[in-house]
Amino acid sequence: MKAHDGMYIGGEWRVAAGTDTIAVVNPADEQVIAHVPAGVAEDVDAAVFAAHEAFPAWAATPPAERAARIAALRDVLVARKDEIAETVTAELGAPLQFSQMVHAGVPILVAGSYAELAASYAFEEKVGNSTVYAEPVGVVGAITPWNYPLHQIVAKVAPALAAGCTVVLKPAEDTPLTAQLFAEAVHEAGIPAGVFNLVTGLGPVAGQALAGHPGVDLVSFTGSTAVGKQIGATAGAAVKRVALELGGKSANVILPSADLAKAVGVGVANVMGNSGQTCSAWTRMLVHTSQYDEAVALAAEAAAKYGDRIGPLVNAKQHTRVRGYIEKGVAEGARLVAGGPEAPREQGYFVSPTVFADVTPEMTIAQEEIFGPVVSIIRYEDEDEALRIANGTVYGLAGAVWAADDAEAVAFARRMDTGQVDINGGRFNPLAPFGGYKQSGVGRELGAHGLSEYLQTKSLQF
Ligand code: NAD
């Protein structure tokens, strides 16, 4: 697999300051496919400096011109979508078809949405005797995870660029090749030197240096709640803007009037996609006691059908961790009805699609983010109990409600402490704000709400 041995800084691939490298492993066969440089504080310094130098001119570039550059970036992503999909498959392990549809397809949609928003957004408005300007915040430090490697990058970089900010990206150590490919695309799209910079490296080294850098005006982080808390504290101490997209433990609430087979089928598919490595996955299925046994049978059948059609987990650590959660579920008394902790293949970090029945709300598997292909089915007696269970975790990122009609589902969804809810299988909308209530995060990504995260307001009075 193609890899750069330098950092993309100031519009060129520069020699890394240190000599350490990170091995990139294909999780499907555990083979090393490439090495990338492990950035250090000096690399981060150079990248922040480049972003700082490029900021005034990019901020002053008319929004229509910024929009044209983002549209060009979208076009490069379209032209290189097969290469993107192959790269994501090689370093994340997702099946190629899923990589093509989701890992390559969604970032193209999102980049396109920001090309349009950059051109149409009201960066200036009149409020009484004032004119209020929405101005770019400055240099953005973006730190992204591996689970949707390109989407997470584009969901930060595209709105930042649309707003007139410049960016330093520190991608996840497991998926740096997709990030390097993105840097190539930025270059090809003619985005001026220094507007986007890439430093690959380890979280506690390069990531920490970026999050705490005095030259960074806003930190946008997606990843674990534990690291997010640290980054929030660092940013708070420096009175720096921060956006945090953290974990989730979303509820899929199936009300008694719903089409049970559809709700269970879509619910299981939602978790199994990307091998359960989706922060907004509906990992808790809430079913009324009268339909419980039928739902369990349907879910077990749906999971079994997935068989070995799902990809591996990203790395050995997650493989151990997720199987540990499955063992914990068994130990705490949940009933395995599909899958289990045994690795289904000798090679690769695979976990069987797993379904637990008789899960109670306080069990570890019902409270903690597992980040693997594991569904927990929880019983409720009435709607109030369903709501208590749905809201009964520290997270609040996403969810789903199913009922005979949308109005009934909406009434329930409005009582959920969560950032987004799919009603009766509602489709993904790249313009809808995405982000969490409670410990799932601070701030929103996507659409106009995502753009506004990178803006600050100035009012002039007349
Ligand atoms: P992580 O939080 O450790 O890593 C996310 C990003 O933060 C990576 O780029 C990493 O290098 C960087 N990072 C790590 N430590 C850092 C530090 N001290 N300072 C600055 N940056 C740092 O997450 P992970 O190890 O990739 O995954 C672990 C868990 O995180 C998963 O099991 C899952 O629960 C959760 N997760 C959530 C999401 C999400 O979208 N909400 C995505 C991936 C992982």
Side-chain angles (χ1 to χ4, degrees):
M1 205 94 251
K2 186 179 159 204
H4 291 272
D5 58 6
M7 308 295 183
Y8 184 73
I9 294 175
E12 60 185 12
W13 291 93
R14 289 196 197 163
V15 177
T19 53
D20 286 355
T21 59
I22 296 171
V24 186
V25 175
N26 182 334
D29 60 12
E30 303 178 41
Q31 300 302 306
V32 174
I33 52 170
H35 287 87
V36 298
V40 293
E42 273 173 85
D43 297 299
V44 171
D45 276 346
V48 173
F49 181 79
H52 195 74
E53 290 285 289
F55 176 68
W58 183 248
T61 300
E65 174 56 20
R66 296 202 298 260
R69 296 274 61 87
I70 299 167
L73 174 61
R74 186 261 330 268
D75 293 346
V76 178
L77 298 179
V78 170
R80 300 182 69 173
K81 66 181 195 314
D82 290 343
E83 203 185 334
I84 291 168
E86 283 159 20
T87 306
V88 174
T89 291
E91 61 184 356
L92 178 69
L96 190 60
Q97 200 190 2
F98 191 80
S99 290
Q100 284 162 337
M101 276 171 54
V102 177
H103 290 298
V106 173
I108 289 168
L109 274 182
V110 173
S113 76
Y114 279 112
E116 281 173 26
L117 271 165
S120 61
Y121 194 80
F123 289 98
E124 189 184 321
E125 62 167 336
K126 292 260 183 253
V127 181
N129 62 316
S130 302
T131 302
V132 179
Y133 295 92
E135 298 185 338
V137 172
V139 174
V140 172
I143 300 175
T144 54
W146 42 262
N147 62 337
Y148 287 88
L150 188 60
H151 169 67
Q152 306 282 17
I153 291 171
V154 171
K156 296 187 190 311
V157 176
L161 266 47
C165 292
T166 56
V167 179
V168 176
L169 167 69
K170 206 302 284 173
E173 34 279 75
D174 290 296
T175 53
L177 302 179
T178 305
Q180 290 191 338
L181 214 160
F182 177 76
E184 286 181 9
V186 165
H187 194 84
E188 245 182 272
I191 289 169
V195 169
F196 169 81
N197 307 274
L198 169 70
V199 176
T200 51
L202 300 176
V205 183
Q208 204 162 317
L210 182 60
H213 200 290
V216 169
D217 301 294
L218 182 158
V219 181
S220 180
F221 170 83
T222 300
S224 62
T225 300
V227 176
K229 283 178 179 170
Q230 274 182 43
I231 287 178
T234 307
V239 197
K240 202 175 270 189
R241 290 268 292 266
V242 67
L244 304 170
E245 292 290 342
L246 308 176
K249 191 72 195 171
S250 301
N252 178 18
V253 182
I254 305 175
L255 296 176
S257 65
D259 176 339
L260 186 69
K262 188 173 173 199
V264 171
V266 175
V268 170
N270 170 282
V271 178
M272 299 309 161
N274 217 36
S275 308
Q277 303 168 118
T278 304
C279 46
S280 55
W282 312 329
T283 50
R284 296 179 298 149
M285 187 182 286
L286 275 53
V287 181
H288 188 260
T289 191
S290 64
Q291 296 171 315
Y292 193 80
D293 293 339
E294 194 184 346
V296 168
L298 287 166
E301 196 186 319
K305 272 200 198 136
Y306 266 87
D308 54 6
R309 279 192 294 131
I310 65 171
L313 300 186
V314 70
N315 58 32
K317 191 176 141 201
Q318 289 298 102
H319 195 226
T320 305
R321 191 171 161 208
V322 169
R323 288 183 303 142
Y325 271 120
I326 298 175
E327 280 164 3
K328 188 130 199 181
V330 174
E332 291 185 3
R335 176 166 55 99
L336 262 180
V337 294
E342 301 80 21
R345 300 192 203 178
E346 275 183 19
Q347 222 186 13
Y349 308 125
F350 292 89
V351 171
S352 299
T354 295
V355 177
F356 276 112
D358 300 342
V359 178
T360 56
E362 70 285 352
M363 284 181 187
T364 307
I365 55 167
Q367 286 293 323
E368 296 185 14
E369 186 177 46
I370 298 177
F371 238 56
V374 184
V375 179
S376 295
I377 312 182
I378 306 174
R379 182 193 300 269
Y380 67 82
E381 302 288 336
D382 57 36
E383 270 197 30
D384 285 342
E385 189 184 16
L387 188 73
R388 266 198 311 278
I389 298 169
N391 289 341
T393 75
V394 296
Y395 295 114
L397 189 54
V401 185
W402 301 81
D405 60 73
D406 285 355
E408 187 189 351
V410 167
F412 189 94
R414 292 296 305 269
R415 297 164 74 198
M416 289 168 80
D417 300 333
T418 193
Q420 49 267 304
V421 185
D422 290 358
I423 301 296
N424 285 323
R427 283 168 300 121
F428 172 70
N429 175 2
L431 294 175
F434 182 92
Y437 280 28
K438 302 192 287 186
Q439 288 189 28
S440 287
V442 175
R444 292 292 179 270
E445 293 195 312
L446 305 183
H449 291 81
L451 177 56
S452 67
E453 293 284 331
Y454 297 93
L455 294 166
Q456 55 191 349
T457 51
K458 178 183 286 172
S459 33
L460 303 187
Q461 283 62 246
F462 296 90

